[in-house]
Amino acid sequence: MKYYTIFLVLIMLASCKPEPKNVEEASDNNNEVPVTSFYVGTYTNKESKGIYSYSLTTEGKMNKIGLAAEATNPSYLALSPNKKYLLAVNEENQDNNGFVSAYEIKNDSLLFKNKVLSGGAHPCHISINKDNYLVVSNYTGGSVGLLQLNLEGYVSDVLDLQQHTGKGTTKRQEAPHAHSSWFDNDTIISADLGTNELWFSKIDTLNNKLEAIKPYKLAMEEGAGPRHLTVHPSKNYSYVFNELDNTITSLLKSGNGTYEKVQTISTIPEGFTGATKGADIHISDDGKFVYASNRGHDSIAIFSVNESDGRLNLVGYESCHGENPRNFSLSPDNNFLIVANQDTNNLVSFKRNSQTGLLTFVAEIEAPTPVCILFN
């Protein structure tokens, strides 16, 4: 009886041991450590509640962390130089004004700091320079507002306003529509879809004013509609994405600081007759490839850069695996490209070949009306 009791005890102890871990499963999980996190700006007229946080793994897969901050139409995001604060436009029209909101980044959350007027209706883009000056493009208002972020993460009221005037030749160009503003060192290049021009200015830091640079405008091809641009990381080239005719205009910056057009190239295949328009454009950190998103053709157009003259050569197209690819972004290491498909509510990641520039589909994940991607 004594030995029988001992035998039963041994059986019970053996059954209580935890099951060994699946070694292969644990190894896979280790490979899925997030490389970095990123934020997604959205339109909030449907299910979205504001700005969301996601992560990207070493394999290019994405995980949703959750809602980082409630906000109304945070359609474009920017990161402060010290990476402590996130800035967002609130694309609204309340008494001919939209807003700019500031947040402090705390782990996976965004802590609200303050919210100020943008200086015009429907602000759709925001940029920040090394001195924490902000330029905000007000689409419906046709103006560019100058603001500043202080050391505590609060945004000032509008310091100055550059009001655009004029018009283009199409129905979308009957009034000024400032669509984006970019820092090229000390020069600010503002793309106005409505006037069909680039506007050039600089910041008078003594008086906190936007000061026009002569010549202060450069016209694009008739009906082009400049929307976004990207600046070469090491050479005097810039690339303007024209929304209305789906073209990229290459610019050369001369020694005296003026810009001239050197090439205009289509971002859609020859013979394509469907409705489409351009959205976003980025250049790889090595300056070798330019990517542009086509809404309607629903693709990323890929171009190689001729480093001797800045001209672009078509490499190919990659389907966005969704509809209306609004904004996209290269990961900090440039190994991946993530695109936000506004109408199909999904984010799609691609592996990027740094030698050929080509993209390979990796994964997709749900996101509510995504329109902007910002890596932290």
Side-chain angles (χ1 to χ4, degrees):
M1 182 68 179
K2 176 181 177 181
Y3 294 110
Y4 179 74
T5 303
I6 294 173
F7 178 71
L8 287 176
V9 170
L10 290 174
I11 291 176
M12 291 176 66
L13 289 174
S15 66
C16 290
K17 286 184 179 180
E19 292 184 6
K21 287 184 179 179
N22 184 313
V23 176
E24 183 178 352
E25 210 172 76
S27 174
D28 285 346
N29 288 338
N30 288 337
N31 288 336
E32 289 298 305
V33 174
V35 173
T36 186
S37 61
F38 62 95
Y39 295 98
V40 177
T42 67
Y43 281 130
T44 54
N45 56 334
K46 295 182 180 177
E47 291 80 13
S48 175
K49 294 182 179 179
I51 303 170
Y52 291 82
S53 180
Y54 287 76
S55 65
L56 177 71
T57 72
T58 55
E59 295 182 347
K61 296 179 182 178
M62 296 167 288
N63 296 299
K64 185 176 182 179
I65 298 172
L67 180 66
E70 290 195 17
T72 302
N73 288 344
S75 64
Y76 206 89
L77 313 175
L79 189 66
S80 66
N82 63 10
K83 298 185 178 181
K84 291 183 178 180
Y85 305 105
L86 180 145
L87 295 312
V89 295
N90 300 107
E91 193 172 333
E92 302 179 72
N93 184 0
Q94 294 188 19
D95 298 325
N96 296 319
N97 260 295
F99 303 90
V100 176
S101 297
Y103 301 87
E104 183 178 359
I105 298 172
K106 283 290 186 181
N107 299 320
D108 296 327
S109 298
L110 296 174
L111 304 182
F112 177 76
K113 299 294 289 187
N114 73 326
K115 183 176 180 179
V116 299
L117 297 176
S118 67
H122 294 124
C124 59
H125 187 270
I126 185 169
S127 293
I128 185 168
N129 73 354
K130 57 183 176 58
D131 298 317
N132 284 340
Y133 279 103
L134 309 173
V135 282
V136 181
S137 300
N138 299 298
Y139 182 83
T140 299
S143 64
V144 175
L146 177 67
L147 304 86
Q148 192 169 26
L149 181 73
N150 70 16
L151 296 178
E152 288 74 42
Y154 294 92
V155 180
S156 71
D157 291 330
V158 174
L159 302 172
D160 194 24
L161 196 66
Q162 180 189 73
Q163 180 61 56
H164 293 179
T165 57
K167 62 180 181 178
T169 57
T170 72
K171 291 182 179 180
R172 291 278 307 278
Q173 298 177 310
E174 295 177 348
H177 294 305
H179 218 312
S180 64
S181 297
W182 309 83
F183 289 99
D184 182 9
N185 295 319
D186 292 332
T187 301
I188 299 171
I189 309 174
S190 297
D192 194 302
L193 182 146
T195 70
N196 205 51
E197 297 163 322
L198 304 180
W199 293 62
F200 302 98
S201 58
K202 63 180 181 179
I203 300 173
D204 174 357
T205 56
L206 291 178
N207 299 299
N208 286 336
K209 298 288 186 182
L210 288 171
E211 182 179 309
I213 299 174
K214 293 184 180 180
Y216 64 96
K217 291 193 293 184
L218 178 66
M220 296 292 100
E221 299 299 320
E222 184 176 323
R227 176 186 173 94
H228 278 196
L229 66 87
T230 188
V231 178
H232 196 285
S234 60
K235 297 183 179 293
N236 290 327
Y237 308 137
S238 299
Y239 301 94
V240 182
F241 198 7
N242 300 301
E243 175 178 336
L244 301 183
D245 67 357
N246 276 97
T247 62
I248 298 174
T249 299
S250 304
L251 304 178
L252 173 64
K253 186 179 183 180
S254 65
N256 62 7
T258 60
Y259 295 79
E260 65 172 296
K261 296 178 289 185
V262 296
Q263 180 197 32
T264 296
I265 187 170
S266 177
T267 64
I268 52 176
E270 186 176 352
F272 179 80
T273 57
T276 188
K277 53 188 177 181
D280 199 17
I281 185 168
H282 294 280
I283 190 168
S284 57
D285 285 348
D286 59 12
K288 293 182 178 180
F289 297 98
V290 167
Y291 300 87
S293 56
N294 297 308
R295 296 176 291 173
H297 188 250
D298 294 335
S299 64
I300 300 291
I302 307 165
F303 299 89
S304 62
V305 177
N306 185 324
E307 293 194 7
S308 64
D309 61 11
R311 291 175 177 269
L312 300 180
N313 296 294
L314 179 67
V315 172
Y317 304 92
E318 179 65 34
S319 168
C320 287
H321 295 262
E323 297 176 7
N324 199 3
R326 178 64 172 263
N327 174 252
F328 67 93
S329 182
L330 293 166
S331 61
D333 59 10
N334 275 214
N335 287 335
F336 298 98
L337 183 150
I338 299 180
V339 61
N341 293 310
Q342 178 180 343
D343 290 354
T344 44
N345 301 309
N346 65 329
L347 306 175
V348 179
S349 62
F350 299 90
K351 175 70 176 176
R352 195 182 79 90
N353 186 313
S354 61
Q355 300 302 312
T356 65
L358 293 173
L359 304 173
T360 302
F361 172 82
V362 177
E364 66 177 294
I365 193 171
E366 181 274 337
T369 325
V371 291
C372 185
I373 295 171
L374 176 70
F375 277 94
N376 180 16

